[in-house]
Amino acid sequence: MTKQEIYEKANSVVGIEGMTGNERLYVSGLMDEFDKAKKSDKYKARTILQALKFDELSIGRIVGFSMDSLKYPNAWDFPNENSNGQENENKATLEYSNLNEVGMGAPLSGKCKIKLNDNKEILISENCGGPAIWTRNGQKIAIPIWDRSFFSGTIQRIGIVDLKKQTLTKYKKKFRVLDLRSFSGNNIVGYDSPIHRMKKLEFDYINEPIEKVIGIK
């Protein structure tokens, strides 16, 4: 069965949002196709669940996680430049350099700086991960920052750069590998450890304990 045929069957289901997972598979007629794909073709199995509007966390728990299943950008593959989408004096771009794997097959880490419209450059950290995520107004950006803990080894923390206040705030909470997807209001949403034991991330930075605040100029 082709991808187009899978989506045609899935799109023919009325009221899919109110159904359980098994109901979606049964009503769409994709149950048998999914059972076969789950054993021999993980990519097709994921495609079926995506077509039936399963969320990413559920898909991972059902068919497993892999590098191939990760959306771009992710901690292993993200662009060297990340613009805030603004123009003129509000324009800013996060730039990475010297990116290398933290370990063999591990996510990337490198030097990151913010380049402002007047060509001024602000160093954020020598150990930044990705992908970073801007707020809609382009004044704040959340960045995964690599760190080491005596008990936990190599970990990540969330750092938020505030261009208006000219600060970098690092938070105490530890993560394994961050996959940040949105930054709106006080909330950062994404996943922690997107391949192994993935967990949904909902980070309200206003109420999270702070490790330190650094002035950046």
Side-chain angles (χ1 to χ4, degrees), residues 29-106:
L30 290 167
M31 179 74 81
D32 291 342
E33 190 74 17
F34 174 74
D35 286 341
K36 288 188 292 184
K38 190 177 178 183
K39 296 175 183 177
S40 60
D41 189 344
K42 296 288 187 183
Y43 179 78
K44 180 182 278 189
R46 291 187 66 87
T47 298
I48 291 171
L49 297 183
Q50 287 168 345
L52 292 170
K53 299 182 180 179
F54 283 65
D55 63 78
E56 282 298 316
L57 193 57
S58 297
I59 292 172
R61 286 172 175 167
I62 294 168
V63 301
F65 304 101
S66 69
M67 287 292 295
D68 293 337
S69 70
L70 292 176
K71 290 183 177 180
Y72 178 85
N74 56 67
W76 288 261
D77 187 12
F78 53 88
N80 285 10
E81 295 186 359
N82 185 344
S83 170
N84 67 350
Q86 304 299 304
E87 299 294 336
N88 302 322
E89 69 274 5
N90 294 319
K91 184 177 180 180
T93 302
L94 182 71
E95 297 182 350
Y96 291 90
S97 60
N98 302 326
L99 285 168
N100 291 288
E101 294 177 342
V102 175
M104 187 176 294

Side-chain angles (χ1 to χ4, degrees), residues 6 95 101 118 125 148 150 158 196 198:
I6 289 170
E95 297 182 350
E101 294 177 342
D118 58 2
S125 172
R148 288 197 62 82
F150 182 78
I158 290 177
H196 304 290
M198 181 167 73

Side-chain angles (χ1 to χ4, degrees), residues 134-147:
W134 289 96
T135 53
R136 185 180 294 274
N137 67 5
Q139 291 302 298
K140 294 187 180 74
I141 185 170
I143 308 170
I145 297 178
W146 290 100
D147 206 344

Side-chain angles (χ1 to χ4, degrees), residues 141-166:
I141 185 170
I143 308 170
I145 297 178
W146 290 100
D147 206 344
R148 288 197 62 82
S149 166
F150 182 78
F151 293 105
S152 305
T154 303
I155 51 98
Q156 284 189 328
R157 303 183 197 271
I158 290 177
I160 295 180
V161 175
D162 187 321
L163 295 181
K164 187 174 181 180
K165 294 181 179 178
Q166 294 190 318

